[in-house]
C-alpha cells in the first residue's frame, strides 16, 4: 500500500506542466511620425505623430529555429523557412485602437546582453498575400537598446526602462483592391520605444487543477497510512 501511494505521488509530480515557453514582450513609447489613411486607429486621414503607443509581441521559444549561447538568444522562422513562425502575434495600440500584424511568412525575436550594463532587443513580424483582385502586406519591427543588463535569454522576464537614444520601430499595413483601385487598409509610421517589459504569457505555467489534486491526494494518503500504523502499534 505504501509503495502504491508513493508511486501515485511520483506520478502527480511528473503530471505538473513544465515552465512556460510562451513570452510577451511589451514596448511602450511615442509615435515619431505616422499616417492613418483608412482610420485603423480611429480617424481616417489622421496624423499619428506624438501619440503614445503600446506594441505587444507574443512569441513561442519552442517554434522555428533557435540560435542561442551565453548572453544571446534568437528564434526565427515562418513559411519562408518552411516551418512555424515563433511570433504568435504582434499587436499595435494607438489612440485606444488596436490592429494586429501577421507573422506567418516570417517572424523573429532576438536578445543580446553583456549581462551587466546593456541589452539589445530585436523583434520582427511580416506577412503578405495577393491574388488577381488585391494585394496586401503588413510588417512591424522594433530595435531597442537599454543601459541595463539582463540574462540575454528570450525565456526570461525582464523590465528595461533606460533606453538608448537610437531605438526605433517601423510599421506598415495595407490592402489594395485592384477592382476599384482603392485601399481597404493603409497606415504606416515610425515609433520611438522607451520601455520594454518581458513576461510569461503561458497559463500552463500554473499546475493544472487535476494534477494539483492528484498531488495533494497522494500526500494525504501517505499521512493517513502513517496515522493508522501508529494506532495499530
Amino acid at each position: 500500500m505504501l509503495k502504491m501511494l508513493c508511486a501515485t505521488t511520483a506520478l502527480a509530480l511528473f503530471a505538473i506542466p513544465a515552465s512556460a515557453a510562451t513570452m510577451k514582450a511589451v514596448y511602450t513609447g511615442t509615435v515619431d511620425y505616422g499616417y492613418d489613411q483608412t482610420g485603423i486607429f480611429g480617424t481616417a486621414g489622421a496624423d499619428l505623430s506624438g501619440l503614445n503607443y503600446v506594441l505587444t509581441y507574443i512569441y513561442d521559444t519552442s517554434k522555428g529555429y533557435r540560435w542561442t549561447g551565453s548572453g544571446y538568444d534568437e528564434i526565427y522562422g515562418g513559411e519562408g523557412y518552411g516551418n512555424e513562425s515563433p511570433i504568435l502575434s504582434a499587436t499595435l495600440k494607438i489612440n485606444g485602437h488596436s490592429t494586429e500584424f501577421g507573422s506567418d511568412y516570417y517572424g523573429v525575436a532576438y536578445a543580446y546582453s553583456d549581462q551587466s550594463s546593456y541589452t539589445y532587443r530585436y523583434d520582427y513580424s511580416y506577412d503578405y498575400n495577393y491574388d488577381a483582385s488585391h494585394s496586401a502586406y503588413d510588417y512591424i519591427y522594433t530595435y531597442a537598446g537599454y543601459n541595463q543588463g539582463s540574462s540575454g535569454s528570450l525565456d526570461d522576464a525582464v523590465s528595461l526602462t533606460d533606453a538608448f537614444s537610437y531605438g526605433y520601430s517601423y510599421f506598415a499595413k495595407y490592402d489594395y483592391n485592384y477592382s476599384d483601385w482603392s485601399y481597404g487598409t493603409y497606415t504606416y509610421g515610425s515609433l520611438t520605444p522607451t520601455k520594454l517589459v518581458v513576461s510569461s504569457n503561458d497559463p500552463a505555467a500554473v499546475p493544472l487543477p487535476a494534477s494539483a489534486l492528484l498531488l495533494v491526494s497522494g500526500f494525504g494518503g501517505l499521512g493517513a497510512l502513517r496515522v493508522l500504523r501508529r494506532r495499530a502499534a
Side-chain angles (χ1 to χ4, degrees):
M1 181 66 178
L2 180 60
K3 289 183 179 180
M4 184 181 296
L5 287 171
C6 289
T8 302
T9 304
L11 287 172
L13 286 168
F14 284 110
I16 297 175
S19 59
T22 306
M23 304 296 289
K24 176 170 62 176
V26 181
Y27 293 90
T28 53
T30 57
V31 180
D32 183 30
Y33 68 83
Y35 178 63
D36 184 7
Q37 178 171 318
T38 54
I40 293 176
F41 298 108
T43 304
D47 181 0
L48 304 175
S49 304
L51 296 176
N52 294 328
Y53 78 87
V54 179
L55 171 57
T56 304
Y57 295 94
I58 296 178
Y59 60 88
D60 188 336
T61 58
S62 69
K63 297 183 182 297
Y65 298 110
R66 191 167 190 178
W67 178 61
T68 187
S70 178
Y72 68 88
D73 198 357
E74 180 180 22
I75 48 174
Y76 61 94
E79 294 173 356
Y81 287 91
N83 58 17
E84 290 185 273
S85 171
I87 303 296
L88 305 183
S89 66
T91 306
L92 177 61
K93 184 177 182 180
I94 301 175
N95 198 31
H97 299 270
S98 299
T99 189
E100 187 167 327
F101 293 79
S103 59
D104 288 344
Y105 190 76
Y106 181 63
V108 60
Y110 174 78
Y112 173 79
S113 179
D114 68 346
Q115 302 178 324
S116 63
S117 59
Y118 60 83
T119 297
Y120 298 98
R121 281 284 307 217
Y122 175 72
D123 296 275
Y124 181 43
S125 177
Y126 171 70
D127 198 17
Y128 77 95
N129 62 79
Y130 60 89
D131 56 32
S133 63
H134 87 293
S135 64
Y137 80 87
D138 53 287
Y139 71 83
I140 188 163
Y141 67 87
T142 304
Y143 175 82
Y146 297 88
N147 295 302
Q148 296 165 254
S150 68
S151 68
S153 171
L154 293 170
D155 289 318
D156 293 342
V158 66
S159 178
L160 302 171
T161 57
D162 188 6
F164 290 172
S165 60
Y166 55 83
Y168 55 85
S169 181
Y170 293 100
F171 69 92
K173 187 181 187 76
Y174 86 82
D175 189 339
Y176 190 72
N177 302 309
Y178 298 137
S179 58
D180 57 2
W181 307 104
S182 66
Y183 285 104
T185 299
Y186 185 39
T187 186
Y188 64 87
S190 170
L191 312 170
T192 300
T194 55
K195 182 179 180 180
L196 168 63
V197 176
V198 180
S199 60
S200 172
N201 192 63
D202 193 347
V206 179
L208 295 175
S211 299
L213 181 61
L214 186 60
L215 179 62
V216 172
S217 299
F219 282 121
L222 286 173
L225 183 60
R226 288 185 177 181
V227 171
L228 289 174
R229 283 185 170 181
R230 287 177 181 174
R231 288 179 178 177

